């Protein structure tokens, strides 16, 4: 569904995306995890024809995003990181504009718009001006809009940033549902929990480079399923990883007295990131 | 082909929706400056003057129509696009839609053309009443071409701008001088040689010349119409080129 070969974007000698090789199969719920500035948005913008790659190539559904833009555009829907709605239109008009631009016939248009506004729980707001909607509602409207032309591939760029926990969970449910309904989903996030909760496979991007790519479980296994976090006087915190609780326990018993705090827990993608880069995702 | 027109209309449609509540306010606010020009220059300054053998009032009205069409078309094609592109990012959605660049540019120019044309027509109506002059098909055709030309210029400016300030700068440096120097308020023939040359370079001069000749019943300056059409093509080509570079 998505394929990239050495996909690169350089802004005056700065490599925002650096020789990205990636393959996402139809039906996947794929997560692109990385800290702010890692190159996630730039990647999505290249895949959605908004930004021209400076190197390498990319295909959406076998259509080259540089040379077969037109066909590629029909295959995907995208929810951008920033609200990209015309704020002076109503909810319904925003949907209708997208439907018109995608050549959906008039009768079909009405049906699909009502259906999708239902799907994202906005049916009661169809006459509201976009500007009056809350952040979560705008995000849901953008999702409904992205689904309108029935794309087989959906890009979601940090879909839950800035939303409160409850709204975030509802969006997660919606994203899972869309995936179950047959859409391939490519989502970016800098939230560890989000990638772990949603994604079948995760690519970790750091400073424009893909540094890991696998199922969350496998990524954790490579680092170690159990993490021991210690804080000692004058040395700051230290992370060690172990295959299981036994080996971790054996290590803990060897620890010296100066250790002030000790936590033993299941490892997560944050640990994978720390192991690979020496820093935390949110730093 | 049918899809092409459909796409142009779709792009236009969104801008049309915004007019729905605002049309009355739009008409009133857009008529303020031409009416002020009419009062200050037409009645205040030039009451007993004749220019090029016509009463100054009759002389100045087509000039005011030209500058009104120019400014209104430029602003309404350019300003919203500028905001949509840089601030709302909703222009990205148009770029990702499966439509051609040509339909995108034409669709975006339509609202400028419509607004410019309607305001200019309304002012023409006022002008026709106070001067008893008439405007024929050539007048209307020139007017339409003027609106088209400056809608394209507005779009090109909006695609070039890197900030909202850029748009204002463009207006002050390009549109404002054209408003006053484009043969709108005075006869170009009276100018010193060098300045006349400059005035003939700017596109709105040719719009004024054509509109005026047609309004006063003088021989029509076909060459000026051709030059205006040339500018429309140049600005259109600039839009297409800038659109190609719009993705960074
Ligand atoms: N238009 C641009 N010009 C220059 N640098 C840019 C541009 N867009 C993004 N960048 C830089 O590229 C890097 C990656 O940005 P981005 O893809 O937005 O990261 P992410 O979405 O992962 O937070 C950042 O360092 C950012 O500053
Ligand atoms: Mg981003």
């Amino acid at each position: 569904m998505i394929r990239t070969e050495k996909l690169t974007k350089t802004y005056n000698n700065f490599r925002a995306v650096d020789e990205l090789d990636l393959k996402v199969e139809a039906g996947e719920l794929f997560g692109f995890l990385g800290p702010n500035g890692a190159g996630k948005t730039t990647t999505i913008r290249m895949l959605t024809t908004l930004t021209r790659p400076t190197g390498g190539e990319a295909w959406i559904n076998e259509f080259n995003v540089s040379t077969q833009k037109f066909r590629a555009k029909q295959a995907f829907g995208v929810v951008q990181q920033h609200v990209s709605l015309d704020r002076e239109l109503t909810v319904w008009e925003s949907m209708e504009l997208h439907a018109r631009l995608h050549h959906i016939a008039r009768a079909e248009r009405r049906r699909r718009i009502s259906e999708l506004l239902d799907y994202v729980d906005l049916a009661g707001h169809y006459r509201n001006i976009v500007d009056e909607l809350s952040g979560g509602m705008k995000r849901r409207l953008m999702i409904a809009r992205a689904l309108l032309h029935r794309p087989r591939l959906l890009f979601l760029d940090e879909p839950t940033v800035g939303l409160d926990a409850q709204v975030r969970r509802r969006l997660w449910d919606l994203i899972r549902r869309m995936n179950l309904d047959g859409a391939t989903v490519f989502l970016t996030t800098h939230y560890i929990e989000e990638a772990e909760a949603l994604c079948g496979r995760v690519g970790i991007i750091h400073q424009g480079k893909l540094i890991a790519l696998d199922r969350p479980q496998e990524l954790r296994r490579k680092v170690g399923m159990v993490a021991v976090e210690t804080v000692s006087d004058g040395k700051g915190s230290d992370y060690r990883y172990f295959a299981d609780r036994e080996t971790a326990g054996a290590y803990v018993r060897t620890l010296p007295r100066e250790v002030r705090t000790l936590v033993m827990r299941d490892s997560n993608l944050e640990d994978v990131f720390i192991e690979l880069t020496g820093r935390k995702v949110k730093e | 082909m049918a899809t092409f027109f459909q796409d142009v209309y779709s792009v236009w449609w969104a801008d049309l929706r915004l007019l729905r509540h605002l049309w009355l306010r739009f008409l009133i606010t857009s008529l303020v400056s031409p009416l002020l020009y009419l009062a200050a220059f037409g009645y205040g300054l030039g009451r007993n003057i004749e220019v090029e053998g016509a009463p100054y009032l009759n002389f100045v009205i087509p000039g005011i129509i030209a500058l009104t069409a120019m400014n209104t078309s430029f602003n309404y094609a350019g300003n919203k696009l500028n905001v949509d592109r840089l601030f709302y990012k909703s222009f990205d959605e148009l770029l990702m839609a499966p439509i051609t660049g040509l339909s995108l540019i034409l669709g975006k120019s339509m609202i400028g053309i419509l607004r410019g044309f309607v305001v200019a027509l309304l002012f023409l109506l006022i002008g026709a009443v106070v001067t008893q002059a008439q405007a024929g098909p050539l007048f209307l055709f020139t007017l339409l071409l003027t609106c088209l030309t400056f809608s394209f210029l507005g779009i090109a400016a909006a695609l070039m701008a890197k900030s909202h300030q850029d748009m204002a700068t463009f207006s002050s440096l390009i549109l404002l001088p054209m408003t006053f120097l484009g043969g709108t308020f005075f006869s170009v023939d009276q100018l010193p040689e060098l300045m006349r040359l400059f005035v003939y370079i700017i596109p709105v001069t040719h719009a004024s010349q054509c509109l005026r000749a047609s309004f006063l019943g003088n021989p029509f300056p076909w060459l000026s119409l051709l030059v205006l059409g040339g500018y429309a093509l140049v600005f259109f080509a600039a839009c297409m080129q800038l659109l190609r570079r719009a993705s960074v």
Side-chain angles (χ1 to χ4, degrees):
Chain A
M1 191 55 98
I2 304 174
R3 189 155 58 90
T4 69
E5 270 174 22
K6 295 202 183 322
L7 188 65
T8 302
K9 180 69 187 184
T10 313
Y11 292 112
N12 327 306
N13 293 329
F14 171 74
R15 295 198 151 203
V17 174
D18 197 357
E19 305 209 335
L20 181 71
D21 286 313
L22 195 64
K23 221 170 175 179
V24 176
E25 304 293 341
E28 277 196 80
L29 206 174
F30 182 86
F32 210 35
L33 175 69
N36 280 329
K40 304 183 295 294
T41 298
T42 307
T43 303
I44 287 201
R45 287 179 67 89
M46 285 193 283
L47 291 174
T48 54
T49 75
L50 279 179
T51 294
R52 201 168 308 165
T54 46
E57 286 188 276
W59 293 264
I60 298 290
N61 215 1
E62 296 305 316
F63 299 118
N64 189 302
V65 296
S66 306
T67 56
Q68 295 168 292
K69 275 189 190 187
F70 219 81
R71 303 297 298 276
K73 282 175 180 179
Q74 290 168 322
F76 66 77
V78 56
V79 176
Q80 300 209 60
Q81 180 171 1
H82 300 284
V83 173
S84 62
L85 294 159
D86 196 322
R87 295 176 202 211
E88 292 161 78
L89 293 178
T90 64
V91 167
W92 186 281
E93 285 166 347
S94 308
M95 296 290 280
E96 183 168 347
L97 173 61
H98 187 84
R100 284 171 180 272
L101 290 169
H102 281 269
H103 311 118
I104 300 169
R106 185 189 296 260
E108 180 71 7
R109 213 148 68 196
R110 293 188 66 87
R111 206 173 53 75
R112 274 201 223 173
I113 294 175
S114 330
E115 219 174 77
L116 278 166
L117 288 182
D118 252 350
Y119 194 71
V120 300
D121 275 335
L122 281 176
H125 298 276
Y126 75 101
R127 291 173 74 173
N128 288 55
I129 305 285
V130 168
D131 217 14
E132 299 164 356
L133 303 180
S134 69
M137 286 156 92
K138 283 187 186 131
R139 201 62 59 108
R140 276 182 282 142
L141 175 57
M142 296 214 304
I143 291 178
R145 178 177 67 176
L147 290 173
L148 199 52
H149 57 287
R150 305 234 165 106
R152 294 167 57 197
L153 169 64
L154 198 63
F155 289 101
L156 304 171
D157 196 359
E158 310 229 13
T160 64
V161 165
L163 305 178
D164 63 49
Q166 203 184 346
V167 180
R168 173 179 299 169
R169 304 243 160 223
R170 281 186 55 195
L171 263 184
W172 284 2
D173 287 340
L174 181 61
I175 292 169
R176 283 197 197 96
R177 188 142 53 98
M178 293 187 298
N179 183 240
L180 286 177
D181 288 348
T184 307
V185 178
F186 181 103
L187 80 82
T188 76
T189 183
H190 67 267
Y191 296 126
I192 301 293
E193 327 80 78
E194 189 156 284
E196 284 179 345
L198 285 177
C199 303
R201 229 156 46 98
V202 172
I204 298 182
I205 182 170
H206 177 59
Q207 297 177 345
K209 286 198 175 68
L210 189 69
I211 54 174
L213 176 68
D214 213 329
R215 293 175 29 235
Q217 205 57 5
E218 284 303 305
L219 291 173
R220 279 179 57 206
R221 209 175 49 75
K222 276 178 216 156
V223 174
M225 296 302 275
V226 178
V228 174
E229 200 176 331
T230 54
V231 183
S232 30
D233 285 332
K235 280 214 233 140
S237 47
D238 178 55
Y239 297 86
R240 295 290 172 92
Y241 301 100
F242 303 92
D244 49 43
R245 298 234 155 211
E246 266 104 80
T247 42
Y251 164 71
V252 166
R253 281 189 289 279
T254 68
L255 285 172
R257 290 243 174 104
E258 298 92 274
V259 173
R260 296 258 304 287
T261 319
L262 183 146
V263 180
M264 194 197 298
R265 56 168 171 77
D266 286 344
S267 64
N268 57 33
L269 290 180
E270 178 89 55
D271 299 305
V272 175
F273 191 79
I274 291 171
E275 271 296 280
L276 290 169
T277 65
R279 50 179 109 177
K280 291 195 168 194
V281 174
K282 276 173 201 162
E283 264 168 20
Chain B
M1 201 61 189
T3 340
F4 169 73
F5 287 112
Q6 194 189 331
D7 289 345
V8 171
Y9 180 69
S10 297
V11 175
W12 188 21
W13 180 86
D15 292 330
L16 281 176
R17 296 305 293 172
L18 298 181
L19 261 180
R20 115 214 92 162
H21 303 302
L22 300 174
W23 62 272
L24 194 63
R25 186 163 77 189
F26 155 68
L27 286 181
I28 293 169
T29 51
S30 307
L31 278 175
V32 170
S33 65
L35 286 175
L36 284 177
Y37 285 136
L38 184 68
F41 295 108
Y43 287 104
L45 196 67
R47 204 162 6 163
N48 302 315
I49 309 175
E50 278 210 350
V51 180
E52 292 179 5
Y56 184 69
L57 192 63
N58 298 39
F59 175 87
V60 82
I61 281 174
I64 297 177
I65 289 177
L67 72 89
T68 303
M70 168 177 82
N71 282 304
T72 314
S73 291
F74 177 91
N75 285 329
Y76 283 100
N79 285 342
K80 173 138 193 306
L81 180 59
N82 178 254
V83 174
D84 284 352
R85 191 170 80 89
L86 296 176
F87 187 59
Y88 289 163
K89 309 280 183 199
S90 53
F91 189 61
D92 280 350
E93 297 298 322
L94 293 179
L95 289 176
M96 283 187 291
I99 61 174
T100 60
L102 181 64
S103 9
L104 181 50
I105 294 296
L106 288 181
K108 272 291 159 198
S109 68
M110 292 308 277
I111 196 70
I113 297 172
L114 176 75
R115 290 196 183 217
F117 197 66
V118 167
V119 173
L121 273 190
L122 211 64
F123 187 78
L124 171 66
L125 222 63
I126 299 170
V129 170
V130 299
T131 60
Q132 254 96 68
Q134 283 175 2
L138 258 181
F139 186 96
L140 296 181
F141 179 77
T142 311
L143 188 56
L144 206 58
L145 187 60
T146 308
C147 294
L148 185 74
T149 308
F150 291 103
S151 288
F152 287 152
L153 186 62
I155 292 173
L159 289 177
M160 237 179 325
K162 294 202 163 57
S163 67
H164 306 324
Q165 197 52 45
D166 282 357
M167 211 55 194
T169 308
F170 194 94
S171 254
S172 324
L173 290 184
I174 313 274
L175 277 235
L176 197 60
M178 284 212 282
T179 300
F180 286 96
L181 297 180
T184 39
F185 295 111
F186 50 78
S187 166
V188 179
D189 297 339
Q190 300 163 350
L191 293 174
E193 189 82 29
L194 207 66
M195 197 163 159
R196 191 160 63 204
L197 196 73
F198 171 75
V199 165
Y200 269 116
I201 292 175
I202 59 184
V204 76
T205 307
H206 300 279
S208 311
Q209 302 272 319
C210 293
L211 292 175
R212 182 166 296 132
S214 155
F215 194 72
L216 300 176
N218 296 339
F220 193 78
W222 291 100
L223 186 62
S224 277
L225 190 70
L226 213 64
V227 173
L228 188 62
Y231 270 111
L233 280 180
V234 169
F235 295 156
F236 168 73
C239 289
M240 292 302 286
Q241 195 53 39
L242 287 162
L243 186 68
R244 233 161 266 140
R245 292 197 324 203
S247 53
V248 282

